[in-house]
Amino acid sequence: MAARKITILGSTGSVGINTLDVVSRYPNRYQIIALTANKSTDKMLEQCRIFHPDYAVMRDPISAENLKEKINKEKINTKVLCGIESLEKVASLPEVDIVMAAIVGAAGIRPTFAAALTGKYVLLANKETLVMAGKIFMDIVKKNHATLLPIDSEHNAIFQSLPNGFTGEHKKFGIRKILLTASGGPFRKSSLSEIKNVTPEEACNHPNWVMGKKISVDSATMMNKGLELIEAHWLFDAKPENIQVVIHPQSIIHSMVEYIDGSILAQLGNPDMRTPIAHALAYPDRIECGTTPLDIFKVASLDFEKPNFTRFPCLNLAYKALSSGGSAPTVLNAANEVAVEAFLESSIPFTEIPSIIEKVMEIIKPTDIFTLEDILEIDDLARNAAYKLIDSKKDTHKLT
């Protein structure tokens, strides 16, 4: 069997690194064609040394020049490219079979679209593609006969618990509800007053998962689950009222599907991103990927809680955005990205994140969207509104 050729969008992030770990175990089964990153030159150089991709793309021009100089000095046979157009190029190369879409944020949308437009196996770890452009993207996937496989542990678990992956035929298969599990993050038991002065380091200290800073903060606010709620709506053709968020602090059950006969099917496993990555890479086969087998006797018990919307206002805002439809999820996502960035830079307190998002959603009313250009325009408007709100608060809220 010929090796399947892979492009990894966002290879220096946590999902990209875990993907390379799985791929490295099967040199005859997978071949890396292209790797991409933003500014992580040293990590990219090390990956090029090991995997010898045909292309390495850096979104940042200065980082691209630095990488090119180092690649040439070491005489590594990898072509260094730069910019969003190059990301789209390596996502749509004719020789590529699989595209791991793992760029965090809105920056990942265009190359993910490029992969779907050319009928690739798209392994989707970029939340924003579905949050901001769910209907448009799903239409492109269907029209171009692309194969879409979810990498988020929750959506991958749902996929595995459905009778035929993506069906869109819930009544036919007797599906009543999707149960989307959430760990509750590092501040699950903290009061609002206790989290007012938390630091970025504390917010990024997730109890179960090792993730990047942005997604770790999203987990702490539960916006991560709000974005996954919107993703699940588009992936599985599920109405908001048929998706229930369940706080499950152990992160052993990664999500569940409830059927009308009373059955609930769940996917369990240790919290390790290599499991959903391996499932998607080998689908419909199964491959070993280095994860530690789950010891159910050691786990002993599993706990479940209802989320408190007062305690986690970001989750409530996500439900509102999904119900509003149109451009509302795009505004939600853009405002969140800007607010999280400001928090990580210590420009606003942690508890100001949902406040910024809510105010931006009030400023920019939902409108219909028809094209990717519409989405990017709304995204820009929402970001500018968020930046203005944050600038007005910096002097009074600057953290020390």
Side-chain angles (χ1 to χ4, degrees):
M1 183 176 69
R4 304 195 75 187
K5 296 177 170 61
I6 303 174
T7 285
I8 301 179
L9 302 170
S11 66
T12 60
S14 59
V15 172
I17 290 170
N18 277 300
T19 302
L20 288 172
D21 180 86
V22 175
V23 166
S24 68
R25 300 166 189 272
Y26 299 93
N28 296 323
R29 185 167 185 151
Y30 304 108
Q31 178 186 349
I32 300 297
I33 298 298
L35 300 173
T36 86
N38 184 20
K39 295 182 179 180
S40 301
T41 306
D42 290 340
K43 285 184 180 179
M44 177 61 79
L45 178 63
E46 181 62 26
Q47 290 176 352
C48 289
R49 287 179 184 141
I50 297 171
F51 294 96
H52 301 282
D54 294 343
Y55 302 94
V57 182
M58 305 300 291
R59 198 157 59 92
D60 176 66
I62 295 175
S63 300
E65 286 302 316
N66 290 339
L67 179 65
K68 188 180 295 184
E69 183 179 332
K70 294 175 181 179
I71 289 281
N72 291 338
K73 185 177 180 180
E74 296 192 20
K75 297 181 180 180
I76 300 172
N77 191 24
T78 295
K79 186 175 182 179
V80 178
L81 303 175
C82 175
I84 186 68
E85 291 80 9
S86 296
L87 292 175
E88 292 178 290
K89 174 182 177 178
V90 298
S92 55
L93 290 167
E95 64 268 32
V96 167
D97 304 300
I98 299 171
V99 175
M100 170 61 78
I103 295 175
V104 176
I109 292 180
R110 283 180 54 181
T112 305
F113 266 59
L117 282 165
T118 47
K120 308 299 186 190
Y121 269 74
V122 182
L123 278 52
L124 189 64
N126 171 272
K127 298 180 186 301
E128 291 72 19
T129 297
L130 285 173
V131 172
M132 296 173 62
K135 184 181 188 307
I136 298 171
F137 182 69
M138 294 304 290
D139 287 345
I140 287 173
V141 167
K142 293 171 185 175
K143 183 177 180 180
N144 294 278
H145 305 290
T147 299
L148 183 62
L149 297 167
I151 298 302
D152 272 347
S153 61
E154 295 83 359
H155 301 103
N156 184 267
I158 295 164
F159 182 90
Q160 293 193 53
S161 301
L162 289 172
N164 189 27
F166 304 119
T167 64
E169 298 176 303
H170 293 175
K171 290 183 180 179
K172 178 179 177 182
F173 291 102
I175 298 167
R176 175 181 288 150
K177 189 184 298 182
I178 286 172
L179 301 171
L180 193 65
T181 60
S183 69
F187 309 131
R188 178 174 60 90
K189 293 186 176 180
S190 304
S191 66
L192 287 172
S193 60
E194 289 173 328
I195 64 173
K196 186 175 181 180
N197 296 317
V198 300
T199 65
E201 290 73 23
E202 289 170 329
C204 291
N205 187 24
H206 195 281
N208 301 330
W209 298 93
V210 177
M211 305 179 291
K213 290 183 178 181
K214 194 269 180 181
I215 194 171
S216 294
V217 175
D218 281 350
S219 179
T221 64
M222 280 195 72
M223 177 58 86
N224 190 46
K225 207 53 49 180
L227 300 178
E228 289 174 6
L229 161 76
I230 299 170
E231 283 186 278
H233 163 70
W234 291 113
L235 281 171
F236 307 113
D237 191 27
K239 296 177 181 179
E241 60 268 25
N242 296 129
I243 308 171
Q244 182 176 348
V245 174
V246 179
I247 294 180
H248 167 53
Q250 291 88 0
S251 295
I252 296 299
I253 294 178
H254 298 300
S255 274
M256 300 170 272
V257 176
E258 179 183 333
Y259 292 82
I260 58 175
D261 62 2
S263 298
I264 294 180
L265 300 187
Q267 187 265 337
L268 288 73
N270 282 318
D272 190 322
M273 281 306 300
R274 290 177 296 179
T275 295
I277 289 168
H279 173 264
L281 278 173
Y283 184 80
D285 297 333
R286 300 273 181 171
I287 56 174
E288 193 279 329
C289 60
T291 57
T292 303
L294 176 64
D295 185 343
I296 58 174
F297 301 107
K298 186 177 181 180
V299 173
S301 63
L302 302 173
D303 300 311
F304 306 96
E305 305 167 11
K306 286 185 177 181
N308 184 326
F309 286 154
T310 301
R311 174 61 189 77
F312 294 109
C314 283
L315 181 58
N316 193 38
L317 290 172
Y319 268 104
K320 287 181 178 179
L322 180 55
S323 296
S324 297
S327 61
T330 301
V331 173
L332 172 91
N333 178 77
N336 178 65
E337 284 193 21
V338 173
V340 169
E341 179 184 23
F343 166 69
L344 288 171
E345 293 173 351
S346 297
S347 296
I348 61 171
F350 180 78
T351 49
E352 194 68 32
I353 293 173
S355 177
I356 294 292
I357 298 166
E358 186 171 20
K359 288 174 182 175
V360 173
M361 290 176 68
E362 290 172 355
I363 293 168
I364 302 177
K365 304 299 182 184
T367 59
D368 292 334
I369 52 176
F370 302 99
T371 67
L372 180 57
E373 287 69 29
D374 293 339
I375 292 164
L376 297 177
E377 183 179 345
I378 292 291
D379 177 74
D380 191 49
L381 287 172
R383 287 174 189 276
N384 288 335
Y387 284 129
K388 288 180 181 178
L389 285 169
I390 290 166
D391 285 342
S392 70
K393 296 175 180 292
K394 279 185 178 179
D395 292 339
T396 55
H397 290 296
K398 186 70 177 179
L399 302 181
T400 58

